[in-house]
Amino acid sequence: MTRTSPLLFALSLVVVGCGPKRAPESGGGAAKDLPAPAEVFERYLKATGVNPASPPPTPAAMHMVADMAMPAQGMGGTVETWTVGSNMLTKMNISGIGELQMGLYEGVGWASDNLEGPRLLEGEERDQLLFDANPRGDLDWATRYTAVEVTDMAPYAEEDCFVVKATKPWGDVRTLYFSQESGLLVGYEERVKMNLGSLNVSTRLSNYREIEGMLTATVFTSKTMGIEQVITLVSLTTSPTELPSLAPPPEIQALIDEAAAQK
């Protein structure tokens, strides 16, 4: 949920193809035996190798490659994501679906696939992309969410976890599960808004390994609408030597120009 945040928005996209702020309040009312949100997040960051008092700078560019599988459907493919500053491009090639693309360029979110064709992302769907495209992810948890509360201790993925409710800027709540033993994030649940409707998604994080000095989850198992998807991180590079153009393709640029002309 730190450097891999831009990759995870691809999970819900595949289903469709088939001023500084103060630190959030804890919300009060927490039981005495529950830790404060800052304690949970700081323990998580330390477990990944990050010093909470001196987090690493945002990389100027990043490149991720992953394999994607939907075992029950016999489908699979590849996912590739590039980020440069606040711009992002994701390309997916999925058997039985074809190529899907999604991007964020100068604040404009867009997507293109064989079912819906090219389109601009608006409203909550765009807000969500902006939120997930941030490569820092939960390194900046205190400003990333508008409210954070540790609400319970409960099992998730066969681990005893602290349950954290984190409110996104537009009001949706992401429920995060942090291992009480290791401090690592083992999963999260949230509602994902897509063009064809909303999805309730549960994602389990596993197979943590050190990548460029930071302990990083490399397997993301997502379940939604009875469909299981598995994304396995193949490589993550924070200083790629080659980058594609992240500018929108011509069909998307035409939509951007049309929207600008209507204003």
Side-chain angles (χ1 to χ4, degrees):
M1 292 297 290
T2 52
R3 297 177 299 182
T4 53
S5 290
L7 182 66
L8 300 182
F9 193 78
L11 288 167
S12 53
L13 186 63
V14 173
V15 172
V16 174
C18 63
K21 294 183 287 186
R22 61 187 175 87
E25 301 289 342
S26 67
K32 292 182 180 179
D33 55 350
L34 294 178
E39 182 180 343
V40 174
F41 277 97
E42 288 177 7
R43 186 165 177 258
Y44 161 57
L45 294 177
K46 288 179 180 178
T48 65
V50 172
N51 180 358
S54 181
T58 303
M62 191 161 55
H63 177 218
M64 288 176 282
V65 178
D67 292 328
M68 194 284 293
M70 299 170 70
Q73 288 71 32
M75 298 168 60
T78 58
V79 184
E80 197 164 8
T81 296
W82 299 265
T83 61
V84 178
S86 60
N87 298 326
M88 184 197 76
L89 174 65
T90 293
K91 291 185 177 182
M92 291 171 278
N93 282 285
I94 311 299
S95 60
I97 295 178
E99 185 176 73
L100 300 88
Q101 294 189 55
M102 177 180 61
L104 183 64
Y105 188 74
E106 296 182 353
V108 177
W110 60 271
S112 180
D113 58 70
N114 292 335
L115 286 180
E116 298 182 87
R119 62 190 181 89
L120 300 183
L121 305 184
E122 299 177 344
E124 187 177 315
E125 193 176 12
R126 174 185 171 275
D127 293 342
Q128 186 172 269
L129 177 59
L130 285 167
F131 184 84
D132 287 327
N134 180 358
R136 292 187 64 78
D138 287 343
L139 284 173
D140 300 324
W141 69 272
T143 53
R144 179 172 170 81
Y145 301 104
T146 59
V148 178
E149 182 180 4
V150 182
T151 61
D152 203 355
M153 292 184 288
Y156 184 95
E158 301 181 352
E159 288 202 49
D160 292 331
C161 296
F162 292 117
V163 183
V164 176
K165 301 285 188 181
T167 304
K168 301 176 187 179
W170 59 94
D172 272 7
V173 173
R174 172 179 282 173
T175 303
L176 304 122
Y177 296 88
F178 293 91
S179 169
Q180 294 182 37
E181 180 179 355
S182 68
L184 294 171
L185 179 67
V186 297
Y188 64 94
E189 298 169 341
E190 63 186 345
R191 183 183 70 88
V192 177
K193 178 71 171 64
M194 302 300 294
N195 192 42
L196 299 181
S198 296
L199 306 172
N200 292 317
V201 182
S202 176
T203 301
R204 177 165 57 90
L205 283 66
S206 60
N207 290 44
Y208 275 85
R209 60 185 175 89
E210 186 173 330
I211 301 177
E212 298 196 4
M214 185 182 296
L215 205 60
T216 303
T218 62
V219 177
F220 309 88
T221 304
S222 174
K223 293 183 178 180
T224 180
M225 301 193 305
I227 298 174
E228 180 178 274
Q229 306 166 68
V230 182
I231 285 186
T232 302
L233 185 66
V234 174
S235 65
L236 186 157
T237 305
T238 56
S239 300
T241 56
E242 295 184 7
L243 290 167
S245 171
L246 271 61
E251 61 272 22
I252 296 295
Q253 187 60 53
L255 294 177
I256 295 173
D257 294 342
E258 180 182 346
Q262 294 176 353
K263 290 183 179 179

